[in-house]
Amino acid sequence: MTKPPSNSGDLSRREALTSLAIGGAALITGCASAPEPQSPAPHPAPSPNAMTIPTSLTGRHAVVPLPFAPGSLNGISERMITSHHENNYGGAVKNLNRAEEELSRITAETPPFVVAALRERELTFRNSKALHEAYFANLGGNGRRSGAIEAALGQAYGTTARWEQHIRATAMGLGGGSGWALLVFELDTGALRTVSSQSHTQAAATGFPLLVMDMYEHSYQMDFGAGVARYVDAFFANVQWEEVNRRLERALKMSAIARGSG
Amino acid sequence: MTKPPSNSGDLSRREALTSLAIGGAALITGCASAPEPQSPAPHPAPSPNAMTIPTSLTGRHAVVPLPFAPGSLNGISERMITSHHENNYGGAVKNLNRAEEELSRITAETPPFVVAALRERELTFRNSKALHEAYFANLGGNGRRSGAIEAALGQAYGTTARWEQHIRATAMGLGGGSGWALLVFELDTGALRTVSSQSHTQAAATGFPLLVMDMYEHSYQMDFGAGVARYVDAFFANVQWEEVNRRLERALKMSAIARGSG
Amino acid sequence: MTKPPSNSGDLSRREALTSLAIGGAALITGCASAPEPQSPAPHPAPSPNAMTIPTSLTGRHAVVPLPFAPGSLNGISERMITSHHENNYGGAVKNLNRAEEELSRITAETPPFVVAALRERELTFRNSKALHEAYFANLGGNGRRSGAIEAALGQAYGTTARWEQHIRATAMGLGGGSGWALLVFELDTGALRTVSSQSHTQAAATGFPLLVMDMYEHSYQMDFGAGVARYVDAFFANVQWEEVNRRLERALKMSAIARGSG
Amino acid sequence: MTKPPSNSGDLSRREALTSLAIGGAALITGCASAPEPQSPAPHPAPSPNAMTIPTSLTGRHAVVPLPFAPGSLNGISERMITSHHENNYGGAVKNLNRAEEELSRITAETPPFVVAALRERELTFRNSKALHEAYFANLGGNGRRSGAIEAALGQAYGTTARWEQHIRATAMGLGGGSGWALLVFELDTGALRTVSSQSHTQAAATGFPLLVMDMYEHSYQMDFGAGVARYVDAFFANVQWEEVNRRLERALKMSAIARGSG
């Protein structure tokens, strides 16, 4: 436990005291002889155009509020979307902070398998955070698709109907368990890809998410039971395609840079 | 992409004839009554500044040649790096093409679990392609680190030595099996993250790879047997940090765009 | 598609006609020149003490009915347990049959990655079937533990309270996603192990399930939302420990055989 | 098992002192105020026919020696099989012991995600141990198949050649990464199933392994490079089918018990 931030919203003092002691620091008992965790070097004063990289493994990630009124979705209840945001997404942020805390304390003596185990949890919670944020951010719309994404889907899949067949089949294939159905923009190729992720850890290594559909059962069980198809309909009825178009616009610029021409 | 291109380098005619028939088209027997696979709409003539999205699922990916002379690495044999490139990476490209072919043929009747299964393979081979290309591209150097990455690692981890502890522990934790040890740049936060991926499908959902270390046993078994630590040493002795710096430079620009300020 | 059984409950004729054609047989179009799928050799007439192994990959698995009245559980609703049984378990049985059908048709030309993909689905659905059956079969009780399992848990974990700490922590660690929390009997060692499975495919390779707790969200979301702890309480309030004791008794005998002394 | 046994072969005193402190006990610094780990109740004196369950989580698993002279295999080198046994299998046993130690120390305050992470590692190493032992034990033969397994494969797959097609395709589908190709006996159905496991954690939940083929690259890279097919040939040339027949004989008896008729 490095320095539990006293003003941190998500890490209570009690939790801080009881968290793991990687490398042997005795947190519960407060033994003073535990090795000092590495503290990050102070940030240099930013100069114009200076690159400033945030500290890694701070354990201080915060929940991003829902970007729409929870009761305003069409066919997705306030109760379900609120639970999704507070419990599943909120829990991931909390656990990410805890995992980062543990990882910030590894020493040369920490068994590699422990590092592997913690890193797997870190990736789980980090992707859960990122994908949940993108999911909530592409909801709250009216489901009407237009603009650049319309053209892009047509170019990529021949017809937008063909893409819809792909994304629906992908979503249905994930029903009854965990996962994400995604449309990503491949930064290294400029192509679109419809991705099936079976857990938070699965993702496209060079993909930038354009459309994110949560297929974990907590996304639909409360309102739809096992009715995955009805959830997929409800999801699409609420997609904010303007947000997707903003992501596409950014992805096009980013991809030009990634491929050396931007 | 449904009609296997006769002039395609990586998909032979015989393989094309024997591949699966998703949706019922009989490839082996050439039954003519099989439903026509969806063909992509012709690309519109590109106009200045027009967005052009490549066709998805073409099944026409090509192998990127090794960016260095295979015998020129220091402590990694020509035999091993050549087998890695031709067999493991080359095999992934070939399989990606086959998976895309199958996926290009799904119909409304294709069982969703089949789509899920093919998409899991598609992600496996697509990430394998991307990560192998990034791996080979960050080899062929002299292992001396300098420039912006040096500062970035210090800012992120306190000291570069601390990051080295993390990346090594992460790599060692993956020894004896499959996976990738990565340093990624998170496009949504501008932070660096050291990632443990246990298979081709695991990746950081918003991460852009800066340093890629293949921890699949085919990366080291031929030269080092089970000597994972010696492989990690050899990997670092050959890293081309200039390439890493180029990626960092691009990532900084891309991240500014992703976060709405570029 | 070998011979769609006309009297099969779970595979309708329409589904049979539209299923995949592994190896090129055109199912939808009915092309006659497709290669004949391998049909299993007729079973020899059983003689006394003759070993009779059922045919593999029949695609004829049937749903096992709920072993208790669905409305009779204490704190787990009829609606949720019925949906769990019919949709999630029933869907797994149906998909297992479909996966077996596809696998029964592989030929020497089927790309190995397709076999891998289908086998991964086969394992998913086969384990889902087995574990769901064991789950439903250890519900319908009054949650009062006694008999040999009480002694066994004490011997294995020091105190039964210690085991309860383990199983609860294991279950809570799986909250918000997919998985199973299990107590298994290791046939090769005679030991008990508390197992965390993150998906249907993860299981103890030499373990015989004694207690099976479904931690997929469809096991609790409908009644408990994100209240995993309340579900775990409700699960334990309904465990049929007599069934667990029956499994333990069998496991002890089986283990003696496995280890060569029975 | 919390106090690392001083006479333990596989866990050195130094390693014991540096292992993790789950729940806050400071191992490195030896702080005395750490909470006492739960010690298992003493074993009652065994009475005739008494059930004796070993203590769980002892962290005292031992390596089983190779059951054949390492230089005696046909086409699999002594160097490779020795490394496989000592490094990969031996490493799994060592890591299983460490994971059990960590798990033996969890308290009510240990974050559930840490328990999940450690349990995933525990399952990985426990299955690795079991499967490696079964793998080595079914090698050292002359590859000639006969006896009950011959009849069983014919009954299950129609012809033994058909099964060979399945197991080979399954093995080839796992090439280039991690996994196991298995023939298991399903204790709950009495059927045989050919299983593709993509990692140590994937297994048939009710399956008893009959034939175990390690498809991790450390099983073949040293001798065969990327030549998976040649390895599969070499594996089969060395299978001890008498051992497989012994397992089948036991499985038949165990299955009768599992299904309530034995």
Side-chain angles (χ1 to χ4, degrees):
Chain A
M1 180 60 240
T2 4
K3 285 170 281 302
S6 47
N7 58 350
S8 162
D10 19 2
L11 199 64
S12 73
R13 192 158 174 74
R14 179 170 177 279
E15 287 171 333
L17 287 172
T18 57
S19 62
L20 277 193
I22 308 286
L27 299 182
I28 292 181
T29 61
C31 289
S33 50
E36 262 298 307
Q38 300 283 345
S39 40
H43 286 301
S47 54
N49 301 322
M51 164 186 75
T52 310
I53 304 288
T55 306
S56 294
L57 301 176
T58 59
R60 293 188 196 181
H61 300 280
V63 158
V64 174
L66 266 181
F68 50 80
S72 69
L73 297 180
N74 180 10
I76 290 176
S77 73
E78 175 166 2
R79 177 176 167 251
M80 185 167 77
I81 202 76
T82 300
S83 176
H84 194 170
H85 183 262
E86 288 181 8
N87 298 311
N88 304 105
Y89 165 61
V93 176
K94 191 170 296 190
N95 276 335
L96 173 63
N97 287 333
R98 288 181 127 171
E100 288 194 346
E101 278 212 354
E102 300 300 347
L103 282 159
S104 70
R105 281 193 233 109
I106 66 169
T107 71
E109 278 74 56
T110 308
F113 85 84
V114 170
V115 178
L118 289 172
R119 288 243 117 95
E120 189 276 342
R121 293 288 87 194
E122 177 194 21
L123 183 65
T124 293
F125 302 132
R126 180 64 187 93
N127 279 356
S128 177
K129 177 178 192 289
L131 293 172
H132 273 113
E133 285 162 10
Y135 172 72
F136 295 128
N138 62 209
L139 285 173
N142 60 18
R144 277 181 240 134
R145 194 177 62 221
S146 65
I149 191 62
E150 193 74 17
L153 289 172
Q155 291 180 15
Y157 288 87
T159 63
T160 55
R162 181 60 174 158
W163 172 73
E164 281 165 9
Q165 199 168 39
H166 271 281
I167 189 76
R168 280 188 156 266
T170 299
M172 295 305 295
L174 291 167
S178 300
W180 298 87
L182 306 146
L183 175 72
V184 306
F185 190 104
E186 295 185 336
L187 296 171
D188 53 340
T189 64
L192 302 189
R193 190 170 298 271
T194 302
V195 174
S196 178
S197 159
Q198 296 182 14
S199 71
H200 296 309
T201 58
Q202 294 196 336
T206 55
F208 183 75
L210 296 183
L211 181 75
V212 176
M213 183 177 2
D214 193 342
M215 294 308 303
Y216 273 73
E217 293 182 297
H218 55 248
S219 311
Y220 57 86
Q221 271 270 339
M222 266 191 225
D223 289 355
F224 302 103
V228 183
R230 289 184 292 121
Y231 162 66
V232 174
D233 288 343
F235 171 80
F236 276 108
N238 286 278
V239 169
Q240 225 207 96
W241 287 103
E242 299 89 335
E243 169 65 12
V244 179
N245 274 317
R246 278 189 292 270
R247 294 171 188 173
L248 173 61
E249 190 180 350
R250 291 174 188 151
L252 285 160
K253 292 179 189 167
M254 293 195 295
S255 183
I257 292 167
R259 290 187 283 161
S261 61
Chain B
M1 178 63 233
T2 38
K3 285 171 285 302
S6 50
N7 60 350
S8 161
D10 16 1
L11 197 64
S12 74
R13 195 157 174 74
R14 178 171 177 277
E15 286 171 333
L17 287 172
T18 57
S19 61
L20 276 192
I22 307 288
L27 297 184
I28 291 183
T29 63
C31 289
S33 49
E36 263 299 305
Q38 299 285 344
S39 42
H43 286 301
S47 56
N49 300 324
M51 165 187 73
T52 311
I53 304 289
T55 307
S56 294
L57 301 176
T58 60
R60 293 190 197 178
H61 300 280
V63 158
V64 173
L66 265 181
F68 50 81
S72 69
L73 296 180
N74 180 11
I76 290 176
S77 73
E78 174 166 1
R79 176 175 166 250
M80 185 167 79
I81 201 76
T82 301
S83 176
H84 194 169
H85 183 262
E86 288 182 8
N87 298 312
N88 303 105
Y89 165 61
V93 176
K94 191 171 294 188
N95 277 335
L96 174 62
N97 286 335
R98 291 181 125 171
E100 289 194 345
E101 277 216 350
E102 300 300 346
L103 282 159
S104 70
R105 280 192 233 112
I106 67 170
T107 70
E109 277 74 56
T110 308
F113 85 84
V114 171
V115 177
L118 289 173
R119 287 244 118 95
E120 189 277 343
R121 293 288 88 192
E122 176 194 20
L123 182 65
T124 293
F125 302 133
R126 180 63 186 94
N127 279 356
S128 178
K129 178 178 191 288
L131 293 172
H132 273 114
E133 284 162 9
Y135 172 72
F136 296 128
N138 62 208
L139 284 174
N142 60 19
R144 276 182 241 133
R145 192 177 63 223
S146 65
I149 190 64
E150 193 74 16
L153 289 173
Q155 291 181 15
Y157 287 87
T159 63
T160 55
R162 181 58 174 160
W163 172 73
E164 281 166 7
Q165 199 168 40
H166 271 282
I167 190 77
R168 281 187 156 265
T170 299
M172 295 305 294
L174 291 167
S178 300
W180 298 86
L182 306 147
L183 175 72
V184 306
F185 190 105
E186 295 185 334
L187 297 170
D188 53 341
T189 64
L192 302 189
R193 190 170 298 271
T194 302
V195 174
S196 179
S197 159
Q198 296 183 16
S199 71
H200 297 308
T201 57
Q202 295 196 335
T206 55
F208 182 75
L210 296 183
L211 181 75
V212 176
M213 182 177 3
D214 193 342
M215 293 309 303
Y216 273 73
E217 292 181 298
H218 54 248
S219 311
Y220 56 85
Q221 271 270 340
M222 267 190 225
D223 290 355
F224 302 102
V228 182
R230 289 184 292 122
Y231 161 65
V232 174
D233 289 342
F235 171 79
F236 276 107
N238 286 278
V239 169
Q240 224 207 99
W241 287 102
E242 300 89 334
E243 169 67 10
V244 178
N245 274 318
R246 278 189 292 270
R247 293 172 187 172
L248 174 60
E249 191 180 351
R250 290 173 188 152
L252 285 160
K253 291 179 190 167
M254 294 195 294
S255 183
I257 292 168
R259 290 186 284 161
S261 60
Chain C
M1 181 59 240
T2 3
K3 284 170 282 300
S6 47
N7 59 350
S8 160
D10 17 3
L11 197 64
S12 75
R13 194 160 173 72
R14 179 172 178 279
E15 286 171 333
L17 288 172
T18 57
S19 63
L20 278 193
I22 308 287
L27 298 183
I28 292 183
T29 61
C31 290
S33 51
E36 263 298 305
Q38 299 284 345
S39 42
H43 287 301
S47 53
N49 300 323
M51 166 186 75
T52 311
I53 304 289
T55 306
S56 294
L57 301 176
T58 59
R60 293 189 197 180
H61 299 281
V63 159
V64 173
L66 265 182
F68 49 81
S72 68
L73 296 180
N74 179 9
I76 290 175
S77 73
E78 174 166 2
R79 177 176 167 249
M80 185 167 78
I81 202 75
T82 300
S83 176
H84 194 169
H85 184 263
E86 288 182 7
N87 298 311
N88 304 105
Y89 166 60
V93 176
K94 190 170 295 189
N95 277 335
L96 174 62
N97 286 335
R98 291 181 126 168
E100 288 194 347
E101 279 213 351
E102 301 299 348
L103 283 159
S104 71
R105 279 193 235 112
I106 68 170
T107 70
E109 278 74 55
T110 309
F113 85 85
V114 170
V115 177
L118 289 173
R119 287 243 118 97
E120 189 276 343
R121 292 288 88 194
E122 175 194 21
L123 183 64
T124 293
F125 302 133
R126 180 64 187 93
N127 279 356
S128 178
K129 178 178 191 289
L131 293 171
H132 273 114
E133 285 163 7
Y135 172 72
F136 296 127
N138 61 210
L139 284 173
N142 61 17
R144 275 181 245 135
R145 193 177 64 220
S146 64
I149 190 65
E150 193 74 19
L153 289 172
Q155 290 180 17
Y157 288 87
T159 63
T160 55
R162 182 59 173 162
W163 172 73
E164 282 165 7
Q165 198 169 39
H166 271 281
I167 190 76
R168 280 186 157 268
T170 300
M172 295 306 294
L174 291 167
S178 300
W180 299 86
L182 306 145
L183 175 72
V184 305
F185 189 104
E186 295 185 336
L187 296 171
D188 53 342
T189 63
L192 302 188
R193 189 170 299 271
T194 302
V195 174
S196 178
S197 159
Q198 297 182 15
S199 72
H200 297 307
T201 58
Q202 293 197 336
T206 55
F208 183 74
L210 296 183
L211 181 75
V212 176
M213 182 178 1
D214 193 343
M215 293 309 302
Y216 273 73
E217 293 181 298
H218 54 248
S219 311
Y220 57 86
Q221 270 270 341
M222 265 191 226
D223 288 356
F224 301 103
V228 183
R230 289 183 293 121
Y231 162 66
V232 174
D233 289 342
F235 170 79
F236 276 108
N238 286 278
V239 169
Q240 225 206 96
W241 287 102
E242 299 90 335
E243 169 66 10
V244 177
N245 273 317
R246 278 190 293 269
R247 294 172 187 173
L248 174 59
E249 190 180 351
R250 291 173 187 149
L252 285 160
K253 292 179 190 166
M254 294 196 293
S255 183
I257 292 167
R259 290 186 284 160
S261 59
Chain D
M1 176 60 232
T2 39
K3 284 171 284 300
S6 49
N7 60 349
S8 161
D10 18 0
L11 198 64
S12 74
R13 195 159 172 73
R14 180 172 177 277
E15 284 172 334
L17 287 173
T18 57
S19 61
L20 277 192
I22 308 284
L27 297 184
I28 293 181
T29 61
C31 289
S33 51
E36 264 297 305
Q38 299 284 344
S39 43
H43 286 301
S47 54
N49 300 323
M51 166 185 75
T52 312
I53 304 289
T55 307
S56 294
L57 302 177
T58 60
R60 293 190 196 178
H61 300 279
V63 159
V64 173
L66 265 182
F68 50 81
S72 68
L73 296 180
N74 180 10
I76 290 175
S77 72
E78 174 166 2
R79 177 175 166 250
M80 185 167 78
I81 201 76
T82 300
S83 176
H84 194 169
H85 183 262
E86 286 181 9
N87 297 311
N88 304 103
Y89 165 62
V93 175
K94 191 170 294 188
N95 277 334
L96 174 63
N97 287 335
R98 290 182 125 168
E100 288 194 347
E101 277 217 352
E102 301 298 348
L103 282 159
S104 70
R105 281 192 233 111
I106 67 170
T107 71
E109 278 74 56
T110 309
F113 85 84
V114 170
V115 178
L118 289 173
R119 286 244 119 96
E120 188 277 342
R121 293 288 87 193
E122 176 194 20
L123 183 65
T124 294
F125 302 133
R126 181 61 187 93
N127 279 356
S128 177
K129 177 178 191 290
L131 292 171
H132 273 114
E133 285 162 10
Y135 172 72
F136 296 127
N138 63 207
L139 284 173
N142 60 18
R144 275 181 240 134
R145 193 176 63 220
S146 64
I149 190 65
E150 193 75 17
L153 289 172
Q155 290 181 16
Y157 289 88
T159 63
T160 56
R162 181 59 174 160
W163 172 72
E164 281 164 9
Q165 199 168 39
H166 272 281
I167 190 76
R168 278 186 159 268
T170 300
M172 295 305 295
L174 291 167
S178 300
W180 298 86
L182 305 146
L183 176 73
V184 305
F185 190 103
E186 295 185 336
L187 296 171
D188 53 340
T189 63
L192 302 188
R193 190 170 297 271
T194 302
V195 174
S196 179
S197 158
Q198 296 182 14
S199 71
H200 296 309
T201 58
Q202 295 196 335
T206 55
F208 183 74
L210 296 183
L211 180 75
V212 176
M213 182 177 3
D214 193 340
M215 294 309 302
Y216 273 73
E217 293 181 298
H218 53 248
S219 311
Y220 56 86
Q221 271 270 340
M222 267 192 227
D223 289 356
F224 301 103
V228 183
R230 289 185 292 121
Y231 161 66
V232 174
D233 289 342
F235 171 80
F236 276 107
N238 285 280
V239 169
Q240 225 207 99
W241 288 102
E242 299 88 335
E243 169 65 10
V244 177
N245 274 317
R246 279 189 292 271
R247 294 171 187 173
L248 174 60
E249 189 178 353
R250 290 173 189 152
L252 285 160
K253 292 178 190 167
M254 294 195 294
S255 183
I257 292 168
R259 289 186 284 162
S261 60

